[in-house]
Amino acid sequence: MAQDTSVRPLSRDLLLGSWKMTSWMTRDVATGERREALGQDPQGIVIYMPERVIFFILKNNRKRPERLPPSDQEKIALFESMFAYSGSYTVEPDRVVHHVDMSWNEAWSGTEQVRFCSVDEHTLSYTSPPSQNPFDGREIVHEVTYVREKRQAGQAYRSRVST
């Protein structure tokens, strides 16, 4: 019996769970040029729970500090090679909107992050609206792909806590 892996209409239930990043590309709006945003084999996770979305992303090949506490330069390098945020989310027919209530960078707290999505049982793909690249000012689109992390046998995602 063949499994149905076709892309389905976006729904909250289909998003629930833990997703591991497999690629993050940027596409230059003017030229179409594509670049790896975080190098090969980026490290990232997005977790959709019924109440909240959690993002934690690390750039590939982060350098370990030489000592604790890290030097000021090491702290800056660590800060610039990751991002994390959390908040509630709403699902629309073609997108998910993250309502950020806390972030590694306070500039994102209180913002809405729109991600146009396609999702099936195994793959989640995001495309962002065009935005300015903070590193070089180019207008770019982010294209990010995740794979669903395997659930443990008998594990289920529940919308309500049992009492």
Side-chain angles (χ1 to χ4, degrees):
M1 176 183 238
Q3 280 189 334
D4 178 15
T5 59
S6 61
V7 174
R8 298 180 186 161
L10 190 58
S11 73
R12 187 177 197 90
D13 288 341
L14 201 51
L15 286 175
L16 289 177
S18 178
W19 300 87
K20 183 178 179 180
M21 182 186 294
T22 58
S23 71
W24 183 344
M25 302 295 290
T26 61
R27 181 174 38 85
D28 186 296
V29 172
T31 66
E33 177 187 9
R34 295 182 80 224
R35 294 183 186 175
E36 290 179 333
L38 298 174
Q40 292 181 345
D41 302 318
Q43 298 177 32
I45 192 118
V46 59
I47 302 169
Y48 284 97
M49 298 181 293
E51 311 80 13
R52 175 169 293 279
V53 62
I54 299 171
F55 265 89
F56 188 69
I57 310 298
L58 299 174
K59 189 173 184 177
N60 194 15
N61 299 321
R62 294 180 66 182
K63 186 175 178 185
R64 185 182 191 102
E66 291 183 23
R67 68 186 189 310
L68 290 177
S71 69
D72 288 347
Q73 287 183 326
E74 289 171 326
K75 288 177 188 177
I76 290 169
L78 290 170
F79 179 83
E80 290 181 343
S81 63
M82 63 86 61
F83 74 87
Y85 69 79
S86 182
S88 62
Y89 64 99
T90 53
V91 178
E92 298 179 19
D94 65 340
R95 71 193 76 183
V96 62
V97 180
H98 302 146
H99 310 281
V100 180
D101 61 19
M102 63 177 130
S103 175
W104 95 113
N105 181 340
E106 276 305 305
W108 278 41
S109 294
T111 66
E112 290 188 346
Q113 300 297 313
V114 176
R115 304 293 183 254
F116 296 97
C117 297
S118 65
V119 64
D120 63 29
E121 289 297 319
H122 307 288
T123 306
L124 171 63
S125 298
Y126 287 153
T127 304
S128 74
S131 62
Q132 187 176 24
N133 186 330
F135 301 109
D136 61 16
R138 297 177 308 136
E139 187 175 28
I140 59 171
V141 170
H142 298 272
E143 301 167 342
V144 188
T145 304
Y146 295 85
V147 294
R148 185 181 296 279
E149 291 192 311
K150 293 188 170 136
R151 296 177 185 171
Q152 299 296 325
Q155 180 183 10
Y157 297 104
R158 296 182 177 94
S159 295
R160 297 176 189 240
V161 177
S162 300
T163 55

